Amino acid sequence: LSHALCAGVEICGALKNVLAIAAGIVEGLDLGHNALAALIAQGCAEIRWLSQKVGAKPATISGLSGLGDIMLTCYGDLSRNRSVGVRLGRGEKLGDILASSSQVAEGVATAGVVVGLARKYRVSLPVLTAVAQVLDSNLSPAEAVAAVMNLPQIEEH
């Protein structure tokens, strides 16, 4: 397998979990399908931006191992990461959520790594880094979603 393919699959595989937490937060706050779709679309763009910075091909991101996996993790009822987000959006504390679950939600640990990657590669990842802010109790779920939803629209590149 090529480096570009592996890089794309690995980035998508890790960051989809962080995006699923964000998607769950939107669901937990009961903001509706339009807000959820907008947030996931923005998150997918952010994953693509970072993936390209590390050498992945855009086609990898739009395939089953990229977008297909992202959609399943963000919309699927069995997603552990999405479930964490739903519970955060409903007002539960992260410590309580983690203590009550026997399963690992990988996005919780990965969110902090995203902040470092955004800095290292100098790429703006507002949705993905907002998850880290919520998990670190720097922003409430409602504040994080409001900040992301009020971002200026940018032209796709």
Side-chain angles (χ1 to χ4, degrees):
L1 293 174
S2 72
H3 165 74
L5 179 61
C6 289
V9 171
E10 287 175 3
I11 290 286
C12 284
L15 300 190
K16 70 170 185 197
N17 295 317
V18 179
L19 182 54
I21 293 172
I25 288 171
V26 168
E27 185 173 325
L29 290 169
D30 202 27
L31 298 177
H33 295 299
N34 289 336
L36 183 60
L39 177 113
I40 292 172
Q42 172 65 30
C44 287
E46 293 177 20
I47 291 171
R48 187 180 73 244
W49 298 336
L50 181 61
S51 296
Q52 288 177 288
K53 291 275 189 176
V54 301
K57 293 181 181 174
T60 304
I61 304 354
S62 30
L64 286 176
S65 62
L67 198 53
D69 202 17
I70 291 168
M71 291 299 138
L72 178 62
T73 307
C74 289
Y75 287 108
D77 288 335
L78 298 177
S79 168
R80 299 178 304 270
N81 293 285
R82 184 176 155 277
S83 296
V84 167
V86 169
R87 292 176 67 182
L88 286 167
R90 291 182 180 155
E92 291 184 56
K93 299 293 179 209
L94 179 62
D96 295 337
I97 296 168
L98 297 178
S100 70
S101 178
S102 61
Q103 296 183 315
V104 174
E106 299 91 341
V108 173
T110 307
V113 175
V114 170
V115 174
L117 290 171
R119 284 189 191 120
K120 178 178 179 179
Y121 290 100
R122 295 185 178 146
V123 59
S124 176
L125 308 173
V127 168
L128 299 173
T129 56
V131 173
Q133 295 292 314
V134 170
L135 296 176
D136 290 341
S137 299
N138 295 326
L139 287 176
S140 73
E143 290 168 334
V145 171
V148 168
M149 293 298 177
N150 289 315
L151 288 169
Q153 288 189 336
I154 59 169
E155 190 174 324
E156 282 289 327
H157 44 278

